[in-house]
Amino acid sequence: MALKITVIGTGYLGATHAAAMAELGFEVLGLDVVPEKIEMLQRGEVPMYEPGLAELLRRHVAGIEGSTGRLRFTTSYEEAGAFGDVHFVCVNTPQKHGEYACDMSYVDSAFDALAPHLTRPTLVVGKSTVPVGSAARLAERLAAAAPAGPAAELAWNPEFLREGFAVQDTLHPDRIVVGVAGEKAEELLREVYAKPIAEGSPFIVMDYPTAELVKTSANSFLATKISFINAMAEVCEAADGDVVKLAEAIGHDERIGKKFLRAGIGFGGGCLPKDLRAFMARAGELGADQALTFLREIDSINMRRRGHMVELARDAVGGGFLGKRVAVLGATFKPDSDDVRDSPALNVAGQIHLQGGQVTVYDPKGMENARRLFPTLGYADTALEAVRGADVVLHLTEWREFRELDPAALAEVTAERRILDGRNALDPQLWRKAGWTYRALGRPRA
Ligand SMILES: NC(=O)c1ccc[n+]([C@@H]2O[C@H](COP(=O)([O-])OP(=O)(O)OC[C@H]3O[C@@H](n4cnc5c(N)ncnc54)[C@H](O)[C@@H]3O)[C@@H](O)[C@H]2O)c1
């Protein structure tokens, strides 16, 4: 009989995972502690913006006309325990307040709530990003609390999906990493991922700590690459060089590669920044802090970008924001998402607002979340409206919509034709031809 799967925590990761598991042919029950989220999902509505996810959900959510009916949702751990052969834990692991360390309380409470309902042999699979050592600790806790005892096994299966490509990445992962303590767990996970494995996704089996470290080291590497090019942008600015040309040229070296070499206002979101910090904190606990001191510099280069963008904007409006109107294009931490967690764009907008600027933000999908987080900023319904009367325009999230803007049309409504490209994603020639002063991070003024 086909495996029955539960997905615990139906946020960005969990909602996508649940829908993808149904797409792979399994009966799936998604669980969350937020009843409103569950009600939305039951109606086939996605609580966030992720391309293709709404369609995938509606194809499978029970009760929707024409759906396979394989996907249901609940808030009951009792129901989840009785239903699932394999339970994926996808709850959030944020940064602790006032500390670098990871807050494991959501993971711990999910395990504590599930364990008493595990009465038969089952596999619990952690997907959340956790500090190394967590899986070994949780495996013991699970076996002690579950009526099934050690037959309630644990595996760790870190997730590498990218927001904006979550559906594609979940259905066709570029690798599947599983940390296991026994053969049974590996066997079950091979069954769960049979389709992507058959398509050629590498399935890499390892112990718990290595699986946990794969995720945090992959994130650290990506963050390092971004901060590297941003550090080069700082040097280029000081030396009158052009970081875009520099990135293009070094990217031709296959050992370096072109990806993730776009200089800009840096990374943000619900993962990279907090994962770097949690990794440093954990290494410290393990006595290996020296190995990761470089990550402190990576983090600080990244945070410096936001301040630098504010400075450039201040210079552009004549040295002070008082009485100046600033248009901000972009609120989400990256395009094709509505996620504004630790968004560099909103951070820059917020700083300018605090310094007395009149900020108007427009984002294709992130307006609702941005308003909730920064209610005091101004918001406009279109890019054109945001730019109306602006003394400077800041391009801070690289949405396609912004690349396709007509600089001549915006020139008609803006007070001053000044644009600062915080993502090095616009075509400078196009903007300059329409009479704009275009400036970007790490590039000559021209
Ligand atoms: N978002 C991503 O792109 C991504 C990618 C890879 C890994 N991750 C990791 O996945 C995990 C989840 O991230 P996310 O972005 O989906 O977070 P999220 O905040 O969007 O979702 C977490 C969900 O878990 C629910 N939850 C919290 N406590 C619970 C409990 N005790 N029982 C049931 N549900 C509970 C919350 O209500 C929420 O819906 C994190 O560890 C993150 O680092 C995220």
Side-chain angles (χ1 to χ4, degrees):
M1 231 179 52
L3 292 172
K4 288 188 170 169
I5 289 177
T6 79
V7 175
I8 294 165
T10 53
Y12 282 91
L13 165 54
T16 312
H17 194 67
M21 288 293 117
E23 177 76 5
L24 291 181
F26 300 104
E27 296 281 324
V28 183
L29 183 64
L31 178 149
D32 206 284
V33 285
V34 178
E36 300 76 38
K37 212 173 249 193
I38 288 301
E39 284 159 20
M40 277 187 86
L41 289 163
Q42 269 165 342
R43 293 194 299 269
E45 292 165 23
V46 187
M48 66 272 185
Y49 174 73
E50 182 62 47
L53 183 55
E55 294 77 359
L56 196 67
L57 261 187
R58 284 198 287 273
R59 196 146 70 229
H60 299 294
V61 172
I64 291 186
E65 210 187 313
S67 81
T68 63
R70 286 200 288 263
L71 177 54
R72 292 187 303 111
F73 293 94
T74 186
T75 53
S76 158
Y77 269 101
E78 192 180 351
E79 192 184 348
F83 178 88
D85 302 307
V86 178
H87 303 275
F88 284 98
V89 178
C90 303
V91 302
N92 41 328
T93 50
Q95 187 176 337
K96 273 189 189 164
H97 281 296
E99 280 181 52
Y100 268 15
C102 169
D103 178 355
M104 283 293 286
S105 62
Y106 301 90
V107 175
D108 288 349
S109 67
F111 272 75
D112 290 346
L114 178 66
H117 304 291
L118 302 180
T119 52
R120 58 190 159 91
T122 20
L123 181 65
V124 178
V125 185
K127 282 196 91 58
S128 303
T129 305
V130 295
V132 60
S134 304
R137 174 177 69 78
L138 289 163
E140 275 184 25
R141 192 159 163 157
L142 192 65
E153 271 188 66
L154 181 73
W156 215 267
N157 169 217
E159 178 57 57
F160 302 98
L161 70 79
R162 298 159 299 166
E163 284 176 28
F165 301 91
V167 170
Q168 161 77 13
D169 288 350
T170 309
L171 289 172
H172 310 284
D174 52 13
R175 78 284 212 192
I176 300 159
V177 170
V178 299
V180 295
E183 280 172 20
K184 180 81 185 130
E186 178 184 339
E187 232 172 77
L188 277 171
L189 283 167
R190 281 190 186 278
E191 201 175 328
V192 169
Y193 290 116
K195 271 195 192 159
I197 293 171
E199 274 179 8
S201 291
F203 185 82
I204 313 170
V205 184
M206 56 194 73
D207 54 29
Y208 292 150
T210 313
E212 294 165 317
L213 286 170
V214 168
K215 175 65 191 173
T216 41
S217 59
N219 272 353
S220 302
F221 190 88
L222 294 174
T224 302
K225 209 168 173 192
I226 299 171
S227 277
F228 170 81
I229 200 64
N230 283 333
M232 293 308 109
E234 285 185 19
V235 180
C236 279
E237 271 182 37
D240 250 345
D242 183 340
V243 75
V244 173
K245 280 277 166 227
L246 180 145
E248 182 192 341
I250 63 172
H252 281 295
D253 184 332
E254 278 180 10
R255 294 168 303 176
I256 295 173
K258 283 188 184 345
K259 288 190 175 157
F260 264 49
L261 278 187
R262 195 196 291 271
I265 55 169
F267 58 80
C271 289
L272 278 193
K274 62 115 176 143
D275 288 351
L276 284 193
R277 293 169 195 157
F279 198 20
M280 282 187 267
R282 184 64 185 138
E285 286 167 11
L286 294 169
D289 43 343
Q290 253 192 332
L292 297 188
T293 44
F294 76 97
L295 288 181
R296 196 175 287 275
E297 197 51 39
I298 298 305
D299 197 6
S300 101
I301 292 169
N302 189 57
M303 297 311 284
R304 216 155 57 215
R305 306 307 288 160
R306 304 175 183 190
H308 185 50
M309 189 71 210
V310 175
E311 278 163 25
L312 283 185
R314 198 172 39 230
D315 285 351
V317 296
F321 287 116
L322 276 179
K324 299 292 180 183
R325 299 174 74 141
V326 180
V328 168
L329 301 181
T332 55
F333 84 99
K334 60 144 92 170
D336 296 317
S337 171
D338 66 350
D339 195 345
V340 299
R341 291 179 286 186
D342 198 6
S343 165
L346 273 186
N347 187 300
V348 167
Q351 286 189 51
I352 294 175
H353 172 74
L354 286 177
Q355 292 181 28
Q358 267 188 33
V359 181
T360 307
V361 180
Y362 166 71
D363 187 278
K365 296 287 176 195
M367 300 288 276
E368 213 178 296
N369 287 340
R371 265 202 192 96
R372 212 172 298 137
L373 204 61
F374 282 87
T376 51
L377 295 177
Y379 293 92
D381 291 337
T382 61
L384 196 76
E385 283 314 308
V387 165
R388 193 176 293 282
D391 296 294
V392 63
V393 178
L394 273 48
H395 173 241
L396 301 184
T397 312
E398 64 272 44
W399 285 93
R400 172 192 284 266
E401 181 179 328
F402 298 149
R403 286 197 299 281
E404 291 174 351
L405 284 172
D406 175 7
L410 298 191
E412 299 274 308
V413 300
T414 189
E416 297 289 338
R417 296 176 186 185
R418 290 190 200 111
I419 179 139
L420 300 181
D421 187 357
R423 293 294 181 182
N424 267 309
L426 303 175
D427 179 351
Q429 279 185 345
L430 205 69
W431 286 79
R432 286 181 180 141
K433 227 163 63 195
W436 290 77
T437 309
Y438 170 97
R439 251 203 106 180
L441 300 176
R443 302 198 83 177
R445 279 171 188 268

